[in-house]
Amino acid sequence: MFTLEDLIKATRGKLISSGMQIFRGASIDTRTIAENDLFFALKGSKRDGHDFLIEALQKSYGAVISKQEDINFQNKTVVLVDDTLIALQNLARYLRKKFRGKVIAVVGSNGKTTTKELIAGMLSKKYKILKTEGNFNNNIGVPLCLSKIEHDTEIMVLELGTNRHGDIKELCEIVYPDYAMITNIGYEHIEGFGSIEGVREGELEILPFVKTVFANGDDEFLMEGLKDFKGNILRFGLSNECDYRAENIKFYDEHVEFDFHADGVSFPVKSSLMGIHNVYNITGALAVATFFGVSKCMLQQAVESFSPVAMRGEIIKINGIEIFFDAYNANPSSMKAALQELARRKKTRKAIAVLGDMLELGELTQPAHEEVGRWIKEMGIDFFVGVGKFMKNALRYVDGEVFDDAQQAAVFLRKQLNGSEIILIKGSRAMKMEQILDILLEGR
Ligand code: ATP
Ligand code: MG
């Protein structure tokens, strides 16, 4: 929520048409815009928001533009700025500076969205929360979120994403976080960062902005990166040195149970999230929520009622076949975590790994895909179906079939199934591995 006055102060824009003065939030998309939103006409690589201006003005309270348009503004609020994206970011920064509550930023290579949703779910038991929606974690999505701060918002939980140096710093200079949650450091976006050291540097650009960091205490590489940090480090994980720990972890078919321990607090939790990596995500979120004083019973409820975020470790059953659907994205660390979970769930069943290329790995591309082949073999996965040119490298260590695209792989896979298998589906976003599930679900 913001006013025209906020907007003008934040952007130094020029009011060229007058209308409503209070907006629910900013929007950049006429398909989802609400009546009381203000439209920011952003210029993307494919489309220019100015081409949608007439529709935007019909549907909303007004717009921020960077080109004088020869159209009738219909008494809507229209503000002219030099650059609409910078204006959106300046508005967000201005609103952040006015905000008196706390800002928690979630960074790290894997599990940000899941951890962010867990933290928000837990904190909302006690506080009025604002969180980044879905995976909107970049320099457009995060400012859009901040435009929705309300007068009674108490805590913001923001996912900050990065694929190259400078991204986290840029985002922090908008959201000025009070607390950082660092999930882990792994092999991701190597094309942008050059190396895992580069990934760590990129994620740790958050450090100068915060006094307290919640960090995965079992991630030695991350902890080494924090050794010169002068603020407060609160570690979560499984090992004894961690301030917030998961102990007595017991995996069942449909859920996991463990005891959460922290100074003066100890209680059992039960979750339907699969895999040891999710035990970390839950423990990290419990650390933050305990720190913010949410009660044990509220936390137990929040953990138990939380279901996987779409495409991130969902369990789907079709005609006796169990699908571990983890197709949102993939990099070597999350691939390994998912394969371990497949191996753990397999029991007497035939386990099939259906894996798409892991993208943006730069010079690590070939060895990383070979390694996947080695893991499949070592973990005793029975059958491998690959999608994409890089997955062919896995064949160096394991037998299997690799296809050019997900559709071909699905057609092949469907013919192999007899109704008792367990299947992992995973790959980078651009590999569209969800098409495999769609095809398996057809004619169900
Ligand atoms: P992105 O970088 O795309 O925003 P993210 O960091 O937000 O990803 P999630 O969307 O929460 O991560 O999870 C994506 C996938 O990463 C999951 O489906 C799972 O395979 C894997 N994953 C989640 N949490 C962890 C973790 N703590 N460690 C390793 N892998 C994880
Ligand atoms: Mg995410």
Side-chain angles (χ1 to χ4, degrees), residues 123-124 126-130 150-156:
L123 291 180
S124 65
K126 184 168 174 185
Y127 301 97
K128 176 84 189 287
I129 296 299
L130 177 67
E150 291 183 42
H151 64 279
D152 56 351
T153 303
E154 294 176 284
I155 302 179
M156 287 197 274

Side-chain angles (χ1 to χ4, degrees), residues 191-320:
E191 256 170 41
F193 285 116
S195 65
I196 189 150
E197 284 76 15
V199 173
R200 182 171 68 181
E201 266 172 35
E203 299 287 0
L204 294 186
E205 286 171 14
I206 196 166
L207 293 182
F209 294 87
V210 293
K211 294 203 175 66
T212 301
V213 168
F214 294 88
N216 182 331
D218 296 340
D219 184 332
E220 286 172 21
F221 187 65
L222 165 60
M223 294 316 291
E224 191 192 295
L226 293 176
K227 69 180 186 313
D228 296 327
F229 178 63
K230 298 282 179 288
N232 192 12
I233 301 177
L234 298 170
R235 290 164 299 180
F236 64 88
L238 312 190
S239 62
N240 283 335
E241 303 84 69
C242 292
D243 307 282
Y244 300 89
R245 293 182 307 283
E247 291 181 4
N248 291 324
I249 304 166
K250 295 194 192 95
F251 289 105
Y252 297 92
D253 282 351
E254 308 287 335
H255 72 277
V256 56
E257 288 177 17
F258 64 88
D259 295 327
F260 175 72
H261 283 275
D263 214 12
V265 201
S266 175
F267 55 86
V269 289
K270 183 175 171 188
S271 165
S272 62
L273 298 189
M274 296 298 154
I276 191 77
H277 55 290
N278 275 316
V279 173
Y280 277 96
N281 297 339
I282 297 167
T283 307
L286 283 170
V288 174
T290 315
F291 181 90
F292 277 92
V294 183
S295 71
K296 160 189 151 181
C297 146
M298 289 298 175
L299 292 177
Q300 286 175 313
Q301 248 180 40
V303 176
E304 192 156 350
S305 62
F306 188 91
S307 345
V309 186
M311 292 205 270
R312 287 136 169 121
E314 290 178 273
I315 299 289
I316 297 163
K317 296 189 174 161
I318 332 174
N319 304 332

Side-chain angles (χ1 to χ4, degrees), residues 12-240:
R12 307 224 176 101
K14 184 174 155 212
L15 185 65
I16 54 174
S17 165
S18 249
M20 291 294 192
Q21 310 240 332
I22 299 182
F23 311 96
R24 181 200 70 148
S27 166
I28 59 164
D29 188 337
T30 52
R31 289 165 301 184
T32 51
I33 200 164
E35 192 199 347
N36 45 1
D37 277 343
L38 185 68
F39 179 72
F40 280 69
L42 298 191
K43 194 163 170 24
S45 53
K46 294 194 198 102
R47 290 175 163 196
D48 185 343
H50 294 86
D51 298 341
F52 299 86
L53 193 56
I54 295 176
E55 187 189 345
L57 288 173
Q58 278 161 358
K59 288 184 169 173
S60 72
Y61 278 0
V64 177
I65 58 176
S66 62
K67 287 189 266 192
Q68 274 280 13
E69 299 282 334
D70 190 18
I71 58 172
N72 177 3
F73 293 133
Q74 310 154 7
N75 301 327
K76 299 285 171 107
T77 302
V78 178
V79 171
L80 181 69
V81 296
D82 290 338
D83 182 313
T84 45
L85 176 58
I86 291 177
L88 176 64
Q89 294 166 344
N90 284 341
L91 173 67
R93 185 179 297 108
Y94 177 89
L95 297 174
R96 161 60 182 114
K97 287 193 171 154
K98 267 178 55 175
F99 176 63
R100 293 282 149 254
K102 296 293 178 202
V103 176
I104 303 168
V106 182
V107 300
S109 299
N110 292 297
K112 294 179 294 299
T113 299
T114 308
T115 306
K116 176 259 300 180
E117 289 294 330
L118 280 160
I119 295 174
M122 292 176 192
L123 291 180
S124 65
K125 300 278 181 194
K126 184 168 174 185
Y127 301 97
K128 176 84 189 287
I129 296 299
L130 177 67
K131 60 175 183 176
T132 43
E133 286 306 319
N135 200 37
F136 291 132
N137 62 14
N138 67 9
N139 64 357
I140 300 175
V142 173
L144 282 176
C145 172
L146 266 64
S147 76
K148 298 192 169 59
I149 301 176
E150 291 183 42
H151 64 279
D152 56 351
T153 303
E154 294 176 284
I155 302 179
M156 287 197 274
V157 188
L158 308 174
E159 172 175 348
L160 307 186
T162 170
N163 49 31
R164 62 196 158 113
H165 289 286
D167 285 346
I168 295 290
K169 179 168 181 279
E170 180 191 347
L171 290 171
C172 285
E173 284 170 348
I174 296 172
V175 309
Y176 293 97
D178 299 293
Y179 300 91
M181 151 58 72
I182 311 176
T183 59
N184 46 54
I185 302 293
Y187 289 90
E188 46 137 3
H189 303 298
I190 297 295
E191 256 170 41
F193 285 116
S195 65
I196 189 150
E197 284 76 15
V199 173
R200 182 171 68 181
E201 266 172 35
E203 299 287 0
L204 294 186
E205 286 171 14
I206 196 166
L207 293 182
F209 294 87
V210 293
K211 294 203 175 66
T212 301
V213 168
F214 294 88
N216 182 331
D218 296 340
D219 184 332
E220 286 172 21
F221 187 65
L222 165 60
M223 294 316 291
E224 191 192 295
L226 293 176
K227 69 180 186 313
D228 296 327
F229 178 63
K230 298 282 179 288
N232 192 12
I233 301 177
L234 298 170
R235 290 164 299 180
F236 64 88
L238 312 190
S239 62
N240 283 335

Side-chain angles (χ1 to χ4, degrees), residues 356-373:
D357 282 353
M358 301 179 291
L359 305 177
E360 294 184 52
L361 289 178
E363 61 189 28
L364 287 179
T365 300
Q366 186 187 334
H369 287 83
E370 286 178 3
E371 184 100 10
V372 168

